Amino acid sequence: MADPDEQPERGGQAERGGGQPERGGQGERGGQEVIRLRYRLYVEALRARLPSAQFGLLMEIIRLWVTHGGGAAELTMDDEEKELFTPEVQQELLHLMGLLSGGSGPEGRAGHVVVQLGDGEHAKGAMSLVPPEVAADAERLRALRDRIDAQERRRGEDRREVEGIARASGMLPSGPGDDT
């Protein structure tokens, strides 16, 4: 996507031509336009509120996310990008993902809210985009944090195993505690 003001197109969600049945009382074309307008308005508010470097990083991440079809992603950032990727920017990222996920109906996340889940043993500062009824349920939020923490634990284990294999094969220098 060349222009951060434009809503990125997602595969399979292009507007349909005339003659298509309307969905939810509002045609597919009208629903897409509402999503685009809501997204553009929010992006303009972010542009005015965030420092330009943070705004640029946020828009680049959104572009990458949409280009790769949405869903889960693991980002690799240099030190400067890590400094710019504050909890506020992370929260705005989740909010934009919700806006891009569609309308406020059951298929969209526009009505979802960003919640702070706190720290687990492995995941620190976890947050998520959830429906309002989940945000109001402490038990469900705790279960979500535990699930995110377990995923982060598995990622760490996988990362250490891959690094061990790479060191054993000579692809990485030996690290502390390695027998090689």
Side-chain angles (χ1 to χ4, degrees):
M1 180 176 89
D3 184 356
D5 296 333
E6 295 295 321
Q7 177 190 0
E9 294 296 326
R10 293 195 59 188
Q13 292 187 349
E15 295 179 26
R16 293 186 207 190
Q20 295 295 326
E22 293 191 357
R23 191 174 78 179
Q26 183 176 31
E28 186 97 13
R29 176 169 273 164
Q32 290 294 319
E33 186 61 25
V34 168
I35 291 168
R36 262 189 219 96
L37 290 172
R38 188 182 297 150
Y39 176 82
R40 286 180 186 153
L41 179 62
Y42 199 80
V43 165
E44 283 307 312
L46 287 174
R47 183 190 311 273
R49 191 167 48 81
L50 291 175
S52 62
Q54 284 183 316
F55 178 79
L57 177 64
L58 178 60
M59 291 295 99
E60 182 61 26
I61 293 169
I62 283 291
R63 281 185 205 99
L64 290 170
W65 181 73
V66 170
T67 300
H68 291 92
E74 187 169 328
L75 302 173
T76 302
M77 297 182 181
D78 63 28
D79 290 340
E80 181 182 346
E81 291 169 328
K82 287 177 186 176
E83 189 174 318
L84 293 171
F85 198 56
T86 63
E88 178 188 12
V89 173
Q90 294 170 38
Q91 186 167 336
E92 295 301 351
L93 175 63
L94 289 172
H95 191 79
L96 288 174
M97 289 173 166
L99 289 174
L100 289 173
S101 295
S104 58
E107 296 176 12
R109 297 181 188 167
H112 286 36
V113 295
V114 177
V115 293
Q116 305 293 324
L117 299 171
D119 294 342
E121 186 178 338
H122 303 277
K124 306 299 180 199
M127 60 180 80
S128 186
L129 185 67
V130 299
E133 63 274 9
V134 173
D137 186 335
E139 189 173 315
R140 289 172 76 181
L141 291 176
R142 195 171 18 264
L144 179 57
R145 187 200 58 218
D146 292 346
R147 189 172 73 232
I148 291 170
D149 196 52
Q151 289 170 343
E152 187 60 29
R153 177 186 53 77
R154 283 190 299 275
R155 272 191 209 106
E157 290 169 353
D158 291 347
R159 193 175 298 117
R160 285 186 295 278
E161 184 175 343
V162 168
E163 287 172 356
I165 292 168
R167 272 195 273 305
S169 65
M171 295 174 65
L172 288 177
S174 294
D178 283 347
D179 294 330
T180 59

